[in-house]
Amino acid sequence: MLQKDKKSTRRKTAPKRAATAPKTAAATVAATNVRNASDAPVHRQVSAAERARMIAEAAYYRAQRRGFSNGDPVRDWAEAEAEIDAMLLRSR
């Protein structure tokens, strides 16, 4: 076989990449914040209807714990409302 007939087994080299500038401290912090942002808990707004549903559910469970007797539904609601509002404030 002649030398011309052989296919080259030589690998093509990848094009050279442009040199990157070293990261500044601000760029490093920004990259860290982006990476850690996905680790943070997601906080969202709760609508008035959803808040009322949460309060109603908490009030129901308060009444259920005492056996639905000898209680005041208005007091159950007020205590549940305070509990839910405190929980929502903590989650911000």
Side-chain angles (χ1 to χ4, degrees):
M1 207 186 296
L2 295 173
Q3 196 68 354
K4 288 181 182 179
D5 293 338
K6 283 188 174 180
K7 287 188 176 181
S8 176
T9 57
R10 194 173 178 188
R11 288 182 152 183
K12 291 185 179 181
T13 58
K16 290 185 179 180
R17 294 182 182 170
T20 58
K23 284 187 177 181
T24 62
T28 304
V29 170
T32 302
N33 288 342
V34 169
R35 182 175 50 246
N36 292 339
S38 63
D39 297 339
V42 176
H43 301 296
R44 62 180 181 83
Q45 290 286 355
V46 176
S47 69
E50 189 175 7
R51 177 180 167 271
R53 184 200 52 78
M54 294 167 73
I55 293 168
E57 189 174 326
Y60 173 84
Y61 286 123
R62 285 179 172 279
Q64 184 184 41
R65 279 194 299 266
R66 68 164 193 282
F68 298 104
S69 63
N70 299 333
D72 180 11
V74 174
R75 184 175 180 181
D76 290 338
W77 185 273
E79 290 174 355
E81 187 173 25
E83 176 187 338
I84 295 301
D85 287 344
M87 181 191 68
L88 291 174
L89 283 174
R90 278 193 308 267
S91 68
R92 285 188 182 178

